[in-house]
Amino acid sequence: MTDQTRTRAEKMSGQKRGVVASETDEVPAKKRGVTVKTVDKWISESDRTMDTSVWLRYEKVDREYIATLKCCVCAEFNEKLRGLRNYNPAFVVGSKNLRASSYKDHAATDMHKRAMLLFKKQSSADVTEYAPITKALYKLDTDAELKVKRKFDIAYLIAKENLAFSKMKPLCELEERHGVDLGQGYKNDQACATFVDYIAKEQQEILVRALTSAKFFSLQADGSMDAGNVENELYLALYFDPRAKDGKVHVRNRFLSVRHPKHGTAEGLFECFQRAVSHVGIVDWEDKLVGFGCDGASVNIAAGGLRGYLEQSVPWVVVFWCLAHRLELSLKDALSGTLFSSIDNMLMRLYYLYNKSPKKCRELEDVVDQLKECLEPMQMPTTGGD
């Protein structure tokens, strides 16, 4: 753990090692056996192997005795850890198990290891500090580098085709069966996730550089539900490349970010928008944003909606209703009450009737085959009496 990382840990928790988080007025008699001096000794002795000076904190019940033990790193990334299988909030809220074995057991949990990895990623600019695979890449010769590039290609294909990371191993085995030398290691789902992570970061850096060099850009947003029935906002960046060498204007429309809005209100959508642009590192968006596209929901285009919040930050921004969506709604309104509405409703009902029932689909195919036989043109006799 670097000195920079340790310094950030101290700032994050608001305390240095040995400085208490809080105090209470009464001293439970059963807690008098564990003193501040004892816990400071634990932190010092375990720091080399567990980095306890970075994450282990305590609350004092008075000036001498300890009330609870806490992990400030797990507390910071608590929202990202809740979905883990063995999630335990004891060291997030404060554990009353004041034994040396309790913090050692916590340090060995998957939850804590994941939190430390997230902390190192956030606090260090050097990826080699938290990614062993990156250390190995620096030591590769030309032949080994080619093998790793092939694995990057496979990982990119998996991500591009929306396949599971577990497909990494069988795809590597298939390539090796075709005579492709992929070398040893980095053929499992964890390696695939690491490869995809670096690919995504590289693409994100390319986009940020392009938006930074662009004089202005527009953003487009739309909401959808994911497989977990969670609402997400998808953001796209629309800009033109000023570095084109052929003298032509090349308009680019690139994926920017996907964020989960905490609330479906105008304020919640604006907060989600701010997180989306700040997540990719765009700090001057208020100076360059000229347009924002969205659907026609009132929470987006109303004066008191997202549009109003954007115009407060960027008075010149043009908020436009998605043309394709607006055209679709216009046609729907124009044809409302006509025969087309009845036909559209009938076709929709037929689709749902047969789409969810394989049995009905087979029966429909049988009916079609029989109709074909009935409707085939009759063979007319030829001239000449044959």
Side-chain angles (χ1 to χ4, degrees):
M1 186 73 66
T2 62
D3 293 338
Q4 180 183 2
T5 304
R6 295 182 188 279
T7 302
R8 189 189 175 284
E10 293 172 356
K11 292 180 179 180
M12 176 187 67
S13 63
Q15 53 186 307
K16 296 184 179 179
R17 183 172 69 89
V19 180
V20 299
S22 65
E23 296 184 2
T24 56
D25 297 330
E26 298 181 0
V27 183
K30 294 183 179 179
K31 302 300 180 182
R32 289 186 176 276
V34 181
T35 63
V36 172
K37 184 177 180 180
T38 300
V39 177
D40 284 341
K41 183 179 179 181
W42 291 348
I43 295 175
S44 178
E45 292 176 347
S46 304
D47 188 42
R48 179 173 296 182
T49 57
M50 300 182 185
D51 291 322
T52 45
S53 62
V54 174
W55 58 269
L56 185 56
R57 300 292 181 266
Y58 51 79
E59 288 186 351
K60 292 196 302 183
V61 75
D62 61 11
R63 295 185 178 182
E64 185 178 358
Y65 298 101
I66 300 299
T68 59
L69 295 176
K70 289 187 175 183
C71 176
C72 63
V73 175
C74 288
E76 180 183 10
F77 299 101
N78 185 42
E79 293 299 324
K80 296 183 178 180
L81 301 176
R82 288 181 181 276
L84 296 181
R85 179 181 301 177
N86 298 323
Y87 172 78
N88 187 342
F91 269 78
V92 175
V93 298
S95 174
K96 296 182 180 181
N97 185 0
L98 305 181
R99 299 179 181 178
S101 59
S102 66
Y103 78 84
K104 292 179 181 179
D105 291 341
H106 174 74
T109 60
D110 294 336
M111 167 185 169
H112 179 75
K113 292 177 181 178
R114 175 63 177 167
M116 290 298 292
L117 179 61
L118 293 172
F119 170 71
K120 291 176 182 178
K121 284 184 177 182
Q122 182 173 295
S123 60
S124 175
D126 184 7
V127 295
T128 60
E129 184 176 339
Y130 60 83
I133 189 174
T134 312
K135 298 179 181 178
L137 290 176
Y138 283 111
K139 303 177 182 179
L140 295 179
D141 54 26
T142 304
D143 183 58
E145 183 178 350
L146 177 61
K147 297 174 183 178
V148 174
K149 286 182 178 179
R150 290 169 178 168
K151 296 171 187 175
F152 264 97
D153 289 340
I154 296 175
Y156 179 81
L157 172 67
I158 290 174
K160 188 71 175 178
E161 297 298 326
N162 297 321
L163 300 177
F165 289 161
S166 58
K167 297 295 182 182
M168 182 72 174
K169 183 176 180 180
L171 285 176
C172 288
E173 292 174 350
L174 179 61
E175 287 289 86
E176 290 175 334
R177 195 178 304 167
H178 292 161
V180 180
D181 185 8
L182 297 177
Q184 300 295 325
Y186 305 123
K187 301 177 185 177
N188 54 23
D189 56 342
Q190 295 180 352
C192 181
T194 302
F195 289 142
V196 171
D197 184 45
Y198 284 117
I199 294 172
K201 288 180 178 178
E202 175 64 19
Q203 293 300 314
Q204 179 177 304
E205 290 176 0
I206 293 174
L207 176 60
V208 171
R209 287 197 298 267
L211 295 180
T212 301
S213 61
K215 294 183 178 180
F216 53 85
F217 58 83
S218 298
L219 296 180
Q220 304 171 70
D222 195 12
S224 64
M225 293 285 186
D226 62 12
N229 200 31
V230 177
E231 183 181 4
N232 291 283
E233 285 288 321
L234 171 68
Y235 297 92
L236 300 177
L238 181 67
Y239 65 99
F240 75 91
D241 188 358
R243 296 171 295 180
K245 298 180 180 180
D246 56 2
K248 298 181 180 179
V249 175
H250 295 273
V251 179
R252 313 292 186 191
N253 194 18
R254 296 288 185 266
F255 167 77
L256 181 71
S257 180
V258 172
R259 297 286 98 184
H260 165 60
K262 296 180 180 179
H263 305 285
T265 61
E267 184 179 0
L269 292 177
F270 182 65
E271 188 270 339
C272 181
F273 167 82
Q274 290 179 309
R275 284 191 287 115
V277 293
S278 62
H279 173 73
V280 296
I282 304 175
V283 295
D284 57 347
W285 65 271
E286 293 177 336
D287 298 328
K288 296 185 177 183
L289 183 67
V290 296
F292 184 80
C294 56
D295 60 29
S298 59
V299 73
N300 287 326
I301 64 174
L306 177 59
R307 173 185 175 181
Y309 281 92
L310 287 173
E311 290 178 345
Q312 288 180 7
S313 300
V314 188
W316 56 83
V317 69
V318 178
V319 179
F320 55 94
W321 187 347
C322 173
L323 182 60
H325 185 237
R326 192 170 186 175
L327 179 61
E328 178 187 1
L329 294 178
S330 299
L331 288 173
K332 185 176 180 180
D333 291 341
L335 296 173
S336 177
T338 65
L339 186 60
F340 176 82
S341 297
S342 301
I343 297 175
D344 181 61
N345 185 44
M346 179 191 67
L347 293 176
M348 185 66 69
R349 288 176 177 273
L350 285 174
Y351 170 76
Y352 284 115
L353 175 65
Y354 290 104
N355 184 54
K356 302 295 183 180
S357 176
K359 179 182 177 181
K360 288 185 174 64
C361 285
R362 290 194 302 268
E363 294 174 350
L364 181 62
E365 291 175 357
D366 293 339
V367 172
V368 171
D369 292 338
Q370 293 176 11
L371 288 175
K372 284 182 178 179
E373 294 176 0
C374 296
L375 298 177
E376 286 181 356
M378 297 177 61
Q379 296 292 332
M380 301 300 292
T382 59
T383 57
D386 295 336

